């Protein structure tokens, strides 16, 4: 009888774990950098910011609905996913960067997709001086295959933003644009 109830309890616990298991967790454990699942439906997310001009690339940023529920001044909620598409900029036959009528670079092929996603306790694996809250980082090819990346570079470059911007580079710009769009 006692044995049966323990088995029953184990089933209940396992059942709960599988329904609440975060989307990115691999075999029930907390994901580390490089282990996020490619958010294949990210194009259906809201625009975080689009058309960011770099020297030879164009970047489009997306945010999932949980992320978009954040208010200015708050950190993003657990379950937030931020996606950054990195497009090569179009070059002409001579190898010079082309500009569109608006003076902006023109998107060519999608080179990479960078993702950061957070959930409760996910930051625990990060190295002590590289803890960016509970964000975990992953880089993918355009087709969703994982890239071999040194993830300390992601952390090192996002760390200086600090907890007040939730380690998100375009934090202020996102909320400013969102407020403008609402008016
Ligand atoms: C050299 C600094 C640098 C490194 C390294 C870096 N990032 Fe970023 N990241 C930025 C900047 C700057 C932005 C803002 C968009 C822009 O200006 O290109 C950004 C934006 C992002 C965003 C959109 C949210 C935001 O912060 O605005 C995601 C997602 C992201 N990076 C993921 C990654 C991942 C994953 C890696 C590692 C594979 C990484 N980044 C490495 C500088 C960096």
């Amino acid at each position: 009888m006692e044995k049966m109830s323990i088995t029953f309890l184990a089933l209940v616990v396992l059942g709960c774990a599988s329904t609440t298991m975060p989307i990115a967790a691999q075999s029930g454990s907390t994901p580390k950098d490089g282990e996020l699942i490619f958010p294949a439906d990210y194009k259906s997310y809201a625009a975080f910011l689009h058309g960011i001009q770099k020297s030879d690339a164009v970047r489009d940023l997306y945010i999932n609905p949980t992320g978009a529920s954040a208010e200015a001044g708050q950190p993003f909620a657990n379950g937030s996913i931020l996606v950054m598409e990195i497009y090569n900029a179009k070059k002409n036959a001579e190898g010079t960067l082309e500009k569109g009528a608006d003076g902006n670079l023109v998107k060519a092929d999608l080179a990479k997709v960078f993702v950061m996603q957070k959930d409760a306790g996910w930051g625990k694996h990060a190295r002590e001086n590289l803890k960016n809250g509970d964000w975990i980082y992953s880089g993918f090819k355009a087709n969703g295959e994982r890239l071999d990346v040194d993830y300390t570079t992601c952390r090192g470059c996002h760390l200086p933003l600090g907890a007040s911007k939730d380690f998100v580079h375009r934090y202020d710009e996102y909320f400013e644009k969102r407020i403008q769009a609402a008016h």
Side-chain angles (χ1 to χ4, degrees):
M1 183 63 200
E2 200 183 317
K3 198 173 173 197
M4 250 184 75
S5 58
I6 289 171
T7 312
F8 177 70
L9 194 72
L11 281 173
V12 171
V13 169
L14 278 173
C16 287
S18 64
T19 51
T20 58
M21 195 169 76
I23 181 173
Q26 305 292 298
S27 58
S29 63
T30 306
K32 300 189 186 76
D33 290 333
E35 293 182 352
L36 293 176
I37 288 174
F38 184 63
D41 61 343
Y42 74 81
K43 291 261 191 199
S44 69
Y45 297 173
F48 186 86
L49 289 172
H50 279 188
I52 295 173
Q53 303 284 303
K54 306 303 271 194
S55 58
D56 58 357
V58 181
R59 297 177 167 184
D60 281 352
L61 275 44
Y62 296 84
I63 185 162
N64 76 336
T66 303
S69 69
E71 297 296 336
Q74 293 178 344
F76 293 94
N78 287 334
S80 294
I81 306 176
L82 289 171
V83 177
M84 177 161 73
E85 287 188 321
I86 303 174
Y87 289 89
N88 291 318
K90 200 170 163 191
K91 291 180 178 162
N92 62 20
E94 288 83 51
T96 316
L97 289 166
E98 283 184 23
K99 295 259 169 100
D102 56 2
N104 285 335
L105 295 171
V106 180
K107 280 189 215 164
D109 54 307
L110 177 59
K112 295 177 203 167
V113 179
F114 281 4
V115 179
M116 49 196 274
Q117 181 172 354
K118 59 151 62 172
D119 221 323
W122 281 14
K124 69 181 175 191
H125 297 299
R127 214 200 279 168
E128 205 45 58
N129 58 351
L130 285 177
K131 287 203 185 291
N132 294 358
D134 278 332
W135 290 109
I136 294 293
Y137 299 82
S138 283
F140 301 92
K141 294 183 193 168
N143 65 4
E145 273 175 44
R146 290 203 166 102
L147 285 170
D148 190 14
V149 180
D150 173 6
Y151 287 103
T152 60
T153 63
C154 317
R155 291 187 170 274
C157 212
H158 280 251
L159 186 69
L161 277 300
S164 66
K165 307 291 177 210
D166 203 8
F167 309 98
V168 171
H169 275 275
R170 299 282 178 153
Y171 184 96
D172 288 337
E173 215 175 325
Y174 169 61
F175 287 106
E176 278 159 23
K177 290 247 163 83
R178 212 175 77 177
I179 290 162
Q180 279 167 17
H183 287 96

